[in-house]
Every structure is written in structure tokens, then in C-alpha cells.
Amino acid sequence: MMLMIVLVSACKQDDEPGVRPMVSSSDPLNNATNVPVNGAISVTFSMAMDPATVTNSKFTLQNGITNVTGTTAYSGTTATFTPAQDLEPNTIYAATIHSGVKSKGGAGMAANFVLNFTTGAAPDEISPASSLTNPTNGAM
């Protein structure tokens, strides 16, 4: 009996019940290049998350060590970070989903998820495509 008490008390209890959530996909993809400077960053989780834990402090975007301001939204199984202003062109960014986000069942991610990407040229640096006009130039 004493041996059983020692064995049971020595076992570590799991502080977070259930299967741990993970990021199953992202937009942009990890290490993507030429990412638009005026887009949002989104991640899809493997299960429904507790929306109260998917916040600006748990979904961050950084340019080096500088935090990018923006808003985080969560719907279904997808979290989206929308920067407050366009990102810098031709710049490396790191988006992080911190392990403090939790599933609806209370399980946290095992580790931070980090997504790296590089932006492309600014929209005004891209050559405009020719467009059709109506009426055409010179029409009567």
C-alpha cells in the first residue's frame, strides 16, 4: 500500500487537460517572400480556441525587435492580425502566436508558433498595368 501511495504521488499531473491545439495553416506561409505590405496575417488552429485568449498580446507581429501595432480578431478556428498601417516594403517580419492561447477545453499550445515572412515592394513601386477606358481614347 505504501508503494502505491509513493507511485501515485510521484506522478506529474497535467495542468492543461485535453489535446493541445496547434497552428495547422497560415497566410502567408512560413518564409514566404513578396508578401503584400497592406495585408493581414492569419493562422488557423487545429481546434476551436477560447476567444478571450486570442488577443493582441498573444498574437504579435514584429519587425526585428519593434512591435507592429494592429488588431487581432478571432472567428471559427482562425485568428487574424491586421496591422494598423502598411508594413515596410522589402522587410522581414515575425508573427508569433504565444503559447498562452488556449483551446475552448482549456489546453494551451505546447510552444510558441513563429511565422517569418518578407514583404515585397510598396504598391506605388509596382508598375501599373494598362487599363481599358470607356469610351476609348479618341472616340466620338
Side-chain angles (χ1 to χ4, degrees), residues 65-90:
I65 60 170
T66 304
N67 286 331
V68 175
T69 59
T71 56
T72 300
Y74 178 76
S75 179
T77 56
T78 302
T80 304
F81 180 86
T82 305
Q85 58 192 26
D86 286 356
L87 301 178
E88 294 294 322
N90 306 309

Side-chain angles (χ1 to χ4, degrees), residues 75-138:
S75 179
T77 56
T78 302
T80 304
F81 180 86
T82 305
Q85 58 192 26
D86 286 356
L87 301 178
E88 294 294 322
N90 306 309
T91 302
I92 298 171
Y93 284 89
T96 304
I97 303 296
H98 297 269
S99 60
V101 298
K102 295 183 183 274
S103 70
K104 284 193 173 185
M109 291 178 37
N112 290 350
F113 171 83
V114 180
L115 164 68
N116 296 294
F117 64 89
T118 305
T119 54
D124 60 348
E125 295 175 6
I126 300 171
S127 302
S130 61
S131 61
L132 300 175
T133 58
N134 189 10
T136 58
N137 191 21

Side-chain angles (χ1 to χ4, degrees), residues 23-31 41-44 113-116:
V23 173
S24 56
S25 65
S26 65
D27 183 23
L29 295 174
N30 191 34
N31 296 319
I41 296 90
S42 64
V43 296
T44 301
F113 171 83
V114 180
L115 164 68
N116 296 294

